[in-house]
């Protein structure tokens, strides 16, 4: 009996497509090929990690181990799956495409299509809107709504002056448009296509963001949610570029330079309670809540936006938390870089 870990970074796109036969874009396939070894950071020594190429994974993980420590892990490719007695699978995220792929390779320890449909619904951005409403505490900011007509979006634009329009299901940096004053024919066509294919769009005011960060959690599926730690990350043009590797105390101190530490604690507690009930009997696994620090209108202070989105899957924040802070006291940055292929580096800040 064995547990199988799978890094499927194309998950968000597969969830949006909602197809059993989904072909990821080249960049997604490349990311999966080059960084498929990442689950070795949190897998047990007797667990299995699915990769495209075993030799490549062993070498890449070996280089990472030399920097961050760890023990040897067991990598297998798709052709070896049928020879293993796999009783549990923990992917980056569950979608129909991964389920169908594993079933074709002889792995039966997968959710039903109905269970994946529930996970897909829970991944809809409407649930982030609901959570945001539960987190309206003194010192926070945030407004968000679903819209299915151009008229509603025009009303929101008139009310806020500048808005962010998001597809209900999309990956980081994709499926997002910024609108100011008015929008052109191209943007209107994009909105109508999203509404047609996904039912609505999510509309939010544009905020003066100062810093991205998030909180990472684990759901046991029985109503209990455990807080794992803060994720301080960087993005470029909406796409993830890296995470800070530091102690929880150091990360909290960085955020408390902007907002009271007690506010973070209150938000964390409310998320655990609310998401515990929301995910009970529906989802077991990791998830993250992205947040941001926002400057006030007079630029004389800061507010917390406590729920920009919910990622009902593992995140790069979870990856960063799997790397222990270094004993020399220096903080590190975990970076994903692309040249001819994707590489993960852990370097001094």
């Amino acid at each position: 009996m064995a547990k199988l870990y799978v890094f499927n970074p194309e998950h968000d796109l597969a969830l949006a497509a909602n197809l059993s036969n989904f072909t990821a874009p080249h960049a997604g396939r490349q990311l999966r090929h080059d960084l498929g070894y990442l689950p070795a950071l949190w897998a047990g020594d007797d667990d299995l990690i699915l990769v495209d190429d075993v030799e490549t994974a062993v070498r890449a993980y070996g280089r990472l181990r030399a920097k961050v420590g760890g023990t040897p892990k067991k990598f297998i490719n798709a052709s070896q799956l049928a020879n293993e007695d796999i009783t549990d699978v923990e992917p980056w995220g569950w979608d129909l495409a991964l389920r169908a792929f594993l079933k074709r390779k002889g792995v039966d320890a997968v959710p039903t299509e109905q269970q994946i449909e529930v996970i897909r619904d829970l991944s809809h951005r409407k649930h982030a809107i609901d959570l945001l409403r539960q987190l309206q505490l003194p010192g926070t900011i945030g407004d968000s709504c679903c819209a299915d007509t151009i008229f509603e979006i025009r009303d929101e634009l008139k009310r806020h002056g500048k808005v962010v329009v998001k597809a209900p299901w999309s990956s980081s940096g994709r499926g997002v448009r910024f609108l100011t004053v008015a929008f052109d024919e191209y943007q209107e066509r994009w909105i109508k296509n999203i509404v047609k294919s996904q039912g609505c769009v999510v509309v939010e005011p544009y905020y003066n963001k100062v810093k991205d960060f998030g909180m990472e959690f684990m759901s046991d599926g029985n109503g209990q949610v455990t807080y794992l730690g803060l994720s301080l990350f960087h993005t470029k043009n909406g796409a993830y570029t890296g995470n800070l590797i530091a102690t929880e105390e150091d990360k909290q101190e960085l955020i408390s330079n902007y907002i009271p530490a007690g506010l973070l604690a209150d938000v964390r507690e409310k998320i655990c309670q609310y998401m515990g009930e929301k995910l009970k009997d529906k989802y077991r696994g990791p998830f993250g809540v992205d947040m941001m620090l926002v400057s006030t209108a007079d630029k004389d202070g800061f507010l917390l936006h406590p729920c920009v989105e919910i990622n009902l899957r593992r995140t790069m924040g979870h990856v960063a938390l799997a790397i222990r802070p270094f004993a020399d006291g220096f903080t590190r940055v975990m970076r994903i870089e692309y040249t001819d292929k994707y590489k993960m580096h852990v370097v001094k800040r």
Side-chain angles (χ1 to χ4, degrees):
M1 295 187 294
K3 184 173 186 176
L4 178 72
Y5 285 88
V6 183
F7 177 58
N8 55 317
E10 72 280 8
H11 162 71
D12 290 339
L13 296 175
L15 209 61
N18 203 30
L19 300 170
S20 292
N21 295 311
F22 169 75
T23 301
H26 173 74
R29 300 196 305 273
Q30 183 85 42
L31 189 61
R32 181 173 181 165
H33 176 275
D34 296 341
L35 299 182
Y37 64 88
L38 285 183
L41 289 167
W42 54 89
D45 290 349
D46 295 324
D47 296 332
L48 303 173
I49 298 132
L50 179 65
V51 294
D52 288 353
D53 184 274
V54 172
E55 289 186 9
T56 298
V58 169
R59 287 196 301 270
Y61 177 54
R63 289 192 293 269
L64 183 61
R65 278 181 60 207
K67 284 280 188 75
V68 305
T71 56
K73 300 295 166 65
K74 299 178 180 179
F75 300 102
I76 64 169
N77 61 35
S79 67
Q80 298 171 292
L81 286 173
N83 301 324
E84 301 289 343
D85 181 16
I86 295 168
T87 55
D88 191 16
V89 180
E90 189 172 307
W92 191 254
W94 276 115
D95 51 67
L96 285 179
L98 178 62
R99 179 188 185 276
F101 170 80
L102 291 173
K103 289 285 285 184
R104 287 196 301 271
K105 298 300 179 180
V107 178
D108 293 321
V110 298
T112 65
E113 291 186 359
Q114 291 75 22
Q115 288 171 320
I116 287 180
E117 183 54 38
V118 169
I119 291 172
R120 183 174 187 267
D121 177 74
L122 287 168
S123 301
H124 191 291
R125 280 195 163 103
K126 65 186 178 186
H127 295 289
I129 297 174
D130 292 341
L131 177 57
L132 179 60
R133 289 171 181 158
Q134 300 295 317
L135 300 175
Q136 300 295 307
L137 300 169
T140 67
I141 193 172
D143 187 19
S144 187
C145 67
C146 289
D148 57 14
T149 69
I150 293 296
F151 305 106
E152 291 173 284
I153 297 167
R154 285 201 176 104
D155 285 344
E156 290 297 307
L157 190 55
K158 185 177 180 180
R159 187 156 70 98
H160 299 293
K162 185 175 182 180
V163 298
V164 185
V165 180
K166 301 177 179 179
W169 292 282
S170 62
S171 61
S172 59
R174 295 171 178 258
V176 177
R177 296 292 186 275
F178 297 89
L179 306 184
T180 55
V181 186
F183 43 92
D184 58 30
E185 184 181 336
Y186 170 77
Q187 292 167 323
E188 183 171 332
R189 189 164 58 248
W190 178 83
I191 290 167
K192 288 180 176 178
N193 286 337
I194 295 296
V195 170
K196 184 178 179 180
S197 62
Q198 299 192 21
C200 69
V201 292
V202 172
V203 188
E204 305 169 355
Y206 176 84
Y207 296 106
N208 294 314
K209 180 176 69 177
V210 175
K211 184 180 287 292
D212 285 309
F213 75 105
M215 291 184 183
E216 310 299 348
F217 301 88
M218 183 69 72
S219 165
D220 70 355
N222 297 315
Q224 185 73 30
V225 164
T226 303
Y227 171 70
L228 301 179
L230 284 171
S231 168
L232 272 58
F233 59 90
H234 303 284
T235 59
K236 185 177 182 180
N237 299 324
Y240 172 86
T241 57
N243 251 87
L244 190 70
I245 307 294
T247 65
E248 185 71 5
E249 292 73 21
D250 286 345
K251 288 181 288 186
Q252 287 192 17
E253 185 177 345
L254 282 169
I255 299 300
S256 63
N257 288 328
Y258 300 89
I259 58 172
L263 177 57
L264 274 184
D266 291 343
V267 166
R268 181 174 69 233
E269 183 178 347
K270 279 184 170 289
I271 291 173
C272 286
Q273 291 174 350
Y274 180 81
M275 294 301 290
E277 286 300 314
K278 173 77 76 172
L279 302 179
K280 187 177 181 180
D281 301 325
K282 295 177 180 177
Y283 176 77
R284 174 180 63 87
F287 71 94
V289 178
D290 286 349
M291 307 176 181
M292 62 181 174
L293 297 169
V294 174
S295 62
T296 55
D298 58 10
K299 298 186 179 179
D300 194 35
F302 304 96
L303 296 169
L304 170 65
H305 190 310
C307 181
V308 177
E309 66 181 31
I310 302 169
N311 294 303
L312 202 67
R313 53 167 171 78
R314 195 172 289 275
T315 70
M316 283 297 175
H318 289 95
V319 178
L321 289 172
I323 300 174
R324 290 182 180 180
F326 288 71
D328 61 11
F330 288 100
T331 58
R332 263 57 169 195
V333 176
M334 180 188 84
R335 290 200 183 108
I336 306 294
E337 296 177 350
Y338 179 77
T339 49
D340 57 326
K341 58 184 178 180
Y342 289 96
K343 295 178 182 178
M344 193 174 92
H345 302 286
V346 177
V347 297
K348 284 185 180 179
R349 192 182 182 192

